[in-house]
Amino acid sequence: MYVTHNRAAIDEMGYAMSRMEIEPDHCDGGEVVHGVSDSQRSNKPLNDLDNEIAQLTKLKSGPHQMLSQIAPGRRGLPVSTVKMLAGRECNFSGRGRFSSADCCHVLSRYLPVNGPWLIDEMNSRAYVSQFSADGSLFVAGFQGSHIRIYDVDKGWKVQKNILAKSLRWTITDTSLSPDQRHLVYASMSPIVHIVNVGSAETESLANVTEIHDGLDFSSAGDEDRGYSFGIFSVKFSTDGREVVAGSSDDSIYVYDLEANKPSLQISAHSSDVNTVCFADESGHLIYSGSDDTYCKVWDRRCLNARDKPAGVLMGHLEGITFIDSRGDGRYFISNGKDQSIKLWDIRKMSSEATCNREDFRKYEWDYRWMDYPPPAKDVKHPRDLSVATYRGHSVLRTLIRCYFSPEYSTGQKYIYTGSHNSCVYIYDLVSGAQVATLKHHKSPVRDCSWHPYYPMLLSSSWDGDIVKWEFPGSGEAPTPVTKKRVRRRYIN
């Protein structure tokens, strides 16, 4: 197991990797693909992407210019790690060490595609799986009321096994507080529960007597909403004082934990709000995505006009399932039921929605049980404001999630997502190339999470499996995973 987050560890890791020096398309485990087919391209080829984010990504994940010149890589491939190490020893950069971008270039070359190794298996669907901010904990939420918190540094031991209270349908979302002492979880109810996960110094399997405080979002506003709506998305603010939520009553809520009451309710969309998040550490900006196809930006400092967003971003043809912020208050990505991920720059947003879905949707479709209709694949949004579009994965049956890869180890060079076809897809942010496809699961992969510091990715699926993908791997052979073994475990 990895034991340090120090950049000095790059030396040892770089040496080990340099001895392997494999081509990315010959990795064991996941399938790694270079290039992109026509069906995976956006309407505007990403090779022509000339945007500020392309330059920012290069600055955060590209080697120093002098190292690039002394150790040029083959066209389309990264600069050799061996040559970079040699160039550093000769001090070609003039700094005597690797910069953060140099380290990201080394680490981002080695995608977490080896495996998988089985972490856990349940007899119910996995809906949520996320690493904590420091990577020491991993949280997985299942339809069968279990929320498991694993201690990553202690061999994936179950630190806490929470039994959800007042569960309706499934765990829709979870979020750890910044200090990792509290966890909130949501289901199809206006009551979001909060649990003190820092109280268990030893393994806790039942928590039958533990109090799960209820945060009642239905008390916001003037009308008595009762239990008429559910929460799809819930996130802590960076300071841990607030929780933002998106709901099935088309609204965004902000809950003040210190005052123990909702502090804001916005009638934000004309359909379910499937996803919300804070844009950055300030907490002023909130992003939201809805089944009405719109992404919206909300500035809490200027909400004078009731329910009026700071801007609207159009481009998706169908509802939005998830939003992930780049953390800079400027860029974010969204996953859509139109089978695409879109990259957005909020400086391009419109003051209002100027195009309705009915203007271009000439087909009937329900993603909960139908395949995406072939005629829809040729439809183009007349007012697409997105910076780029990424295709190849499938978004069906459930609110599948997508993310930027970690800043520390990859410079947010990649985008990754679950998929209805049981795989995890990794795309190059700038080129749009599908660089890896991780194949193991037998059911939709709703969520996946890349370790914030190491080349490690966990995927969770409706088949109940939680599996780990790594590079170069932990040394042992991957644990064989068979459905016979899963069934036997729960029969005995």
Side-chain angles (χ1 to χ4, degrees):
M1 191 62 218
Y2 302 98
V3 295
T4 178
H5 295 173
N6 197 306
R7 286 284 187 187
I10 299 294
D11 288 352
E12 181 179 351
M13 191 172 189
Y15 173 72
M17 290 176 171
S18 70
R19 298 188 66 183
M20 305 176 79
E21 281 303 308
I22 63 173
E23 298 296 339
D25 53 347
H26 292 294
C27 293
D28 293 332
E31 176 184 352
V32 182
V33 183
H34 283 288
V36 58
S37 66
D38 292 339
S39 63
Q40 294 166 337
R41 291 187 184 274
S42 64
N43 296 332
K44 176 182 178 182
L46 297 193
N47 290 334
D48 297 333
L49 180 62
D50 183 16
N51 189 274
E52 180 182 298
I53 192 170
Q55 182 64 19
L56 290 173
T57 303
K58 181 179 179 181
L59 290 174
K60 290 169 63 176
S61 62
H64 188 274
Q65 183 178 4
M66 292 299 294
L67 290 175
S68 298
Q69 292 175 355
I70 198 66
R74 282 187 287 166
R75 183 176 178 83
L77 292 178
V79 175
S80 165
T81 303
V82 175
K83 294 180 179 179
M84 284 184 65
L85 289 169
R88 188 193 62 177
E89 293 303 309
C90 298
N91 197 23
F92 281 110
S93 67
R95 294 168 302 175
R97 59 182 176 83
F98 278 165
S99 67
S100 295
D102 294 332
C103 293
C104 281
H105 181 78
V106 172
L107 286 175
S108 65
R109 177 173 183 176
Y110 302 96
L111 297 175
V113 298
N114 285 7
W117 284 261
L118 181 67
I119 297 299
D120 204 352
E121 52 190 357
M122 297 287 281
N123 61 350
S124 66
R125 295 173 172 179
Y127 270 74
V128 183
S129 57
Q130 284 295 294
F131 279 106
S132 61
D134 67 359
S136 64
L137 300 176
F138 181 80
V139 180
F142 300 86
Q143 188 173 21
S145 81
H146 285 274
I147 303 172
R148 289 191 165 184
I149 302 178
Y150 306 85
D151 190 321
V152 177
D153 297 327
K154 293 183 179 179
W156 299 92
K157 181 180 180 181
V158 177
Q159 174 176 303
K160 206 167 187 69
N161 188 15
I162 300 167
L163 299 178
K165 306 293 186 181
S166 307
L167 182 69
R168 292 193 172 189
W169 176 243
T170 184
I171 303 294
T172 54
D173 203 4
T174 64
S175 180
L176 271 173
S177 62
D179 62 6
Q180 299 181 182
R181 291 189 59 83
H182 294 89
L183 177 120
V184 291
Y185 63 87
S187 67
M188 293 307 296
S189 162
I191 308 297
V192 170
H193 290 275
I194 184 168
V195 185
N196 187 338
V197 299
S199 63
E201 298 179 356
T202 58
E203 182 177 354
S204 175
L205 295 178
N207 302 312
V208 174
T209 61
E210 184 167 289
I211 297 174
H212 295 201
D213 293 330
L215 311 178
D216 188 358
F217 284 77
S218 66
S219 61
D222 299 328
E223 57 182 316
D224 183 12
R225 304 170 197 270
Y227 285 82
S228 60
F229 67 92
I231 303 293
F232 288 114
S233 178
V234 60
K235 296 290 183 296
F236 268 103
S237 61
T238 305
D239 59 13
R241 297 178 179 179
E242 295 180 313
V243 171
V244 63
S247 74
S248 64
D249 69 345
D250 313 342
S251 298
I252 297 171
Y253 295 88
V254 176
Y255 198 98
D256 187 325
L257 294 174
E258 293 182 342
N260 196 27
K261 64 180 182 181
S263 59
L264 180 66
Q265 185 263 327
I266 306 171
S267 297
H269 291 267
S270 61
S271 191
D272 293 349
V273 180
N274 295 324
T275 175
V276 290
C277 67
F278 290 103
D280 55 23
E281 294 182 352
S282 72
H284 296 314
L285 295 180
I286 296 173
Y287 300 146
S288 65
S290 166
D291 273 339
D292 64 12
T293 75
Y294 300 127
C295 295
K296 293 186 178 181
V297 181
W298 306 87
D299 191 334
R300 299 168 65 191
R301 295 165 295 186
C302 52
L303 282 174
N304 296 327
R306 181 171 175 81
D307 301 343
K308 185 170 180 61
V312 180
L313 289 157
M314 300 167 286
H316 276 295
L317 301 171
E318 298 291 341
I320 294 149
T321 64
F322 197 74
I323 283 176
D324 186 42
S325 174
R326 193 166 177 267
D328 54 10
R330 182 172 296 172
Y331 294 100
F332 68 92
I333 55 173
S334 60
N335 223 352
K337 297 176 184 178
D338 57 4
Q339 317 303 298
S340 73
I341 294 174
K342 285 187 176 291
L343 171 66
W344 307 92
D345 181 344
I346 70 171
R347 293 170 297 182
K348 296 180 179 292
M349 62 189 178
S350 173
S351 59
E352 59 183 8
T354 58
C355 185
N356 295 318
R357 175 166 49 179
E358 290 72 20
D359 296 338
F360 51 81
R361 188 183 187 191
K362 308 301 181 183
Y363 52 88
E364 293 297 326
W365 176 66
D366 191 324
Y367 99 120
R368 293 173 295 181
W369 58 277
M370 299 172 66
D371 290 335
Y372 197 57
K377 297 177 181 179
D378 298 324
V379 177
K380 298 181 180 179
H381 197 290
R383 290 291 309 276
D384 191 348
L385 301 177
S386 64
V387 174
T389 304
Y390 308 81
R391 301 186 188 277
H393 63 293
S394 57
V395 183
L396 298 167
R397 311 296 183 265
T398 186
L399 303 179
I400 290 172
R401 302 178 167 205
C402 64
Y403 303 93
F404 288 99
S405 63
E407 180 174 9
Y408 184 95
S409 59
T410 71
Q412 297 178 306
K413 181 179 180 179
Y414 303 108
I415 290 171
Y416 64 104
T417 178
S419 179
H420 170 259
N421 69 350
S422 311
C423 299
V424 176
Y425 288 78
I426 303 177
Y427 301 99
D428 186 284
L429 173 70
V430 176
S431 72
Q434 185 186 118
V435 297
T437 306
L438 309 184
K439 298 180 179 180
H440 157 72
H441 295 286
K442 305 302 181 184
S443 296
V445 178
R446 186 179 190 266
D447 206 359
C448 46
S449 187
W450 197 315
H451 193 284
Y453 297 106
Y454 304 120
M456 176 196 302
L457 186 148
L458 264 71
S459 58
S460 60
S461 167
W462 277 10
D463 62 15
D465 286 354
I466 306 291
V467 299
K468 176 181 66 172
W469 307 83
E470 284 189 300
F471 190 97
S474 55
E476 76 276 13
T479 305
V481 180
T482 68
K483 290 303 162 187
K484 287 183 179 179
R485 184 162 58 84
V486 174
R487 286 196 296 269
R488 186 166 60 248
R489 172 179 175 180
Y490 289 100
I491 290 173
N492 293 340

